[in-house]
């Protein structure tokens, strides 16, 4: 084995979370080495949807123009009981708060292919497939890993991000404690190509039938998935066979004459998370850090949020713009989000997976009445605002809120905010930035790569001013009584300011969170 490869960050695992982490870290020019144990990408889908925030994160990696190839808006989502009575229904917006559909069905192999192509063509990124990590050690300055195989490698980096899945080698090497909720259900997943041209409505269906809880959903353009829960008295070995899959698919009128069973596999849904996602210079993300049942559709989404949260913090630490204590906020922020998503997923699962007929009948009565009352109202979000971490508590109440994305125009360029302004820190203001902040604070923000943007109503024609065509940003500020808001690179708001004094304090508090000092008394 020759001398170790050198990198700023070594990413272990090259599924969607590892791919997004790699691309977000590579964007500012970091040297990234990716180690993936399998020699070829997994050819079948696992996740089948993501939310609007995840769509914005994926677009930030540079594959926004590829998403339409592998996704479609999820449209409607309906719960029925075994008799077909509607228990819950929601029409998913094709343009939500983040500027993307609130839910998109995705063909995961196509998504991974687009992400991999982007990563493998990015300067500074080296992707090494067929290299399983078998040893890991670290000291105060570096992390070292060794891979197995006929051509073993040693890689040395400043930081390591473990995105290597539920059976994470990285997590095991760190021996990190895990909180396990003891939630286990076996479901048979069937990916099917339908040949008879039928229109499947609703597009996404959950059948809460105590005789057989089951699901039928889009898995991206041209792809469909059906899932069936194993009942308590069924033999696990028999349940996972192709014969069992076809018998259950018959509940939806599918058979070998009108459909092809592309894949079938039994998954055990679980709920757990690592108590700490950082150990020295090693950090966990995605399924390596947390697992949840799929009923809230937040498994892959949570991993993409991990990558977005971690990437900007790690970049600042690597370029000396923040102390490494900033990385302690990663666990604090993301674990709270994940705990909420896990709890919501388990609660939904308990409703869906009810197999007692009497309890299911009581559920149906209550849910059908509630559905009639709620019709037309949005569903409860699976993601909450940040309440701890890198945010500022101020009178505007904007700290921790997920920032919106609308259509804007500036100097003749029109598009979504991220495409027109760019990503990274953004200071939004209704006032000219020169009158809001002194030169020293503007310079410090510029040193962080921040965009300083004055927002005005549609029709304003002053040079350099951003026109709020969708009327998104001005109401956000006005409702909070704010003249400015500071947006983090992961699209969450650091905080707001009600006047120029508050704006200076806003910048100072950010610098303190990053491990810097105030510039001058406010």
């Amino acid at each position: 084995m020759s001398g170790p490869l050198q990198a700023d960050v070594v990413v272990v695992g090259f599924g969607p979370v590892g791919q997004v982490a790699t691309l977000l870290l590579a964007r500012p020019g970091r040297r990234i080495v990716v180690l993936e144990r399998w020699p070829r990408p997994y050819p079948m889908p696992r996740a089948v949807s993501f939310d609007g925030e995840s769509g914005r994160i994926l677009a930030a990696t540079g594959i926004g123009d590829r998403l339409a190839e592998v996704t479609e808006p999820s449209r409607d989502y309906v719960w029925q009981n075994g008799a077909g009575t509607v228990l819950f229904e929601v029409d998913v917006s094709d343009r939500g708060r983040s500027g993307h559909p609130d839910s998109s069905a995705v063909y995961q192999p196509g998504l991974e292919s687009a992400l991999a192509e982007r990563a493998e063509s990015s300067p500074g990124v080296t992707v090494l497939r067929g290299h399983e990590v078998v040893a890991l050690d670290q000291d105060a300055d570096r992390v070292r890993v060794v891979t197995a195989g006929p051509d073993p490698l040693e890689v040395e980096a400043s930081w390591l991000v473990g995105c290597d899945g539920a059976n994470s080698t990285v997590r095991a090497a760190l021996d990190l404690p895990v909180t396990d909720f003891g939630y286990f259900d076996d479901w048979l997943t069937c990916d099917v190509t339908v040949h008879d041209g039928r229109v499947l409505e609703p597009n996404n269906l959950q059948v809460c039938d105590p005789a057989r809880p089951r699901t039928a959903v889009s898995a991206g353009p041209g792809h469909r998935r059906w899932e069936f829960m194993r009942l308590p008295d069924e033999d696990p070995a028999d349940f996972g066979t192709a014969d069992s899959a076809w018998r259950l698919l018959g509940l939806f009128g599918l058979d070998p004459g009108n459909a092809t069973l592309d894949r079938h596999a039994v998954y055990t849904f679980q709920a757990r998370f690592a108590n700490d996602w950082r150990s020295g210079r090693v950090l966990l993300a995605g399924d390596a850090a947390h697992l949840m049942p799929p009923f809230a559709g937040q498994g892959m989404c949570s991993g993409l949020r991990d990558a977005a949260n971690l990437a900007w913090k790690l970049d600042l630490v690597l370029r000396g713009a923040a102390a490494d204590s900033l990385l302690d906020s990663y666990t604090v922020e993301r674990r709270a989000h994940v705990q909420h998503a896990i709890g919501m997923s388990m609660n939904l699962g308990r409703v869906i997976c009810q197999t007692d007929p009497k309890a299911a009948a009581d559920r149906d009565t209550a849910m059908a009445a509630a559905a009639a009352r709620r019709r037309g109202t949005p569903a409860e979000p699976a993601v909450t605002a940040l309440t701890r971490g890198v945010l500022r508590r101020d009178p505007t109440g904007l700290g921790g809120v997920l920032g919106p994305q609308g259509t804007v125009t500036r100097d003749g360029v029109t598009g979504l905010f991220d495409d027109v302004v760019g990503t990274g820190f953004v200071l939004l203001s209704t006032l000219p930035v020169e009158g809001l902040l002194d030169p020293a604070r503007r310079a410090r923000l510029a040193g962080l790569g921040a965009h300083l943007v004055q927002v005005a109503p549609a029709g304003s024609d002053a040079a350099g001013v951003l026109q709020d065509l969708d009327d998104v940003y001005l109401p956000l500020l006005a409702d909070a009584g704010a003249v400015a808001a500071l947006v983090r690179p992961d699209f969450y708001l650091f905080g707001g300011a009600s006047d120029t004094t508050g704006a200076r304090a806003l910048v100072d508090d950010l610098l303190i969170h990053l491990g810097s000092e105030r510039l001058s008394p406010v």
Side-chain angles (χ1 to χ4, degrees), residues 163-405:
C163 307
D164 52 340
N167 299 313
S168 170
T169 299
V170 173
R171 188 187 65 243
L174 299 175
D175 195 26
L176 293 174
V178 171
T179 295
D180 195 319
F181 293 92
Y183 183 104
F184 300 97
D185 273 316
D186 290 342
W187 282 67
L188 177 62
T189 294
C190 302
D191 291 306
V192 179
T193 301
V194 181
H195 303 303
D196 59 7
R198 69 179 68 187
V199 177
L200 293 157
E201 294 182 339
N203 197 38
N204 300 282
L205 174 65
Q206 182 69 60
V207 183
C208 304
D209 182 355
R212 177 71 67 187
R214 53 195 183 271
T215 303
V217 296
S218 169
H223 300 274
R224 299 289 302 181
R225 171 171 289 178
W226 280 264
E227 296 178 328
F228 306 90
M229 179 181 147
R230 183 176 68 83
L231 301 177
D233 60 349
E234 289 183 304
D235 185 305
D238 292 340
F239 179 67
T241 64
D243 287 344
S244 174
W246 281 119
R247 176 175 57 81
L248 294 169
L249 288 166
L251 294 169
F252 293 92
L254 298 171
D255 58 51
N258 59 26
T260 298
L261 180 59
D262 298 313
R263 181 189 70 130
H264 64 286
V266 175
Y267 288 92
T268 300
F269 298 157
Q270 300 181 55
R272 68 172 191 251
F273 62 84
N275 296 348
D276 293 301
W277 300 7
R278 177 189 179 187
S279 177
R281 291 184 167 270
V282 181
L283 303 112
L284 301 178
D287 286 356
H290 46 77
L291 290 174
M292 65 190 72
F295 304 112
Q298 286 299 304
M300 183 174 73
C301 296
S302 294
L304 300 185
R305 287 185 183 86
D306 296 345
N309 187 295
L310 181 57
W312 70 267
K313 296 174 181 177
L314 197 50
D315 173 60
L316 289 180
V317 171
L318 280 164
R319 56 188 167 108
D324 69 15
S325 58
L326 174 65
L327 297 173
D328 293 333
S329 69
Y330 169 60
T331 297
V332 169
E333 293 180 357
R334 291 298 308 128
R335 188 177 59 194
H337 263 182
V338 162
Q339 284 176 293
H340 175 79
I342 289 175
M344 186 176 182
S345 298
M346 290 193 298
N347 288 337
L348 291 173
R350 293 185 184 106
V351 174
I352 291 167
C353 301
Q354 179 58 255
T355 57
D356 178 80
K358 174 62 170 64
D362 292 342
R363 171 205 63 196
D364 295 351
T365 300
M367 289 191 67
R373 293 193 302 271
R374 274 197 313 265
R375 193 160 285 129
T377 62
E380 176 192 353
V383 179
T384 60
L386 296 174
T387 57
R388 299 172 58 201
V390 184
L391 56 90
R392 181 172 189 259
R393 293 297 188 189
D394 58 64
T396 69
L398 291 174
V401 173
L402 176 63
Q405 176 170 221

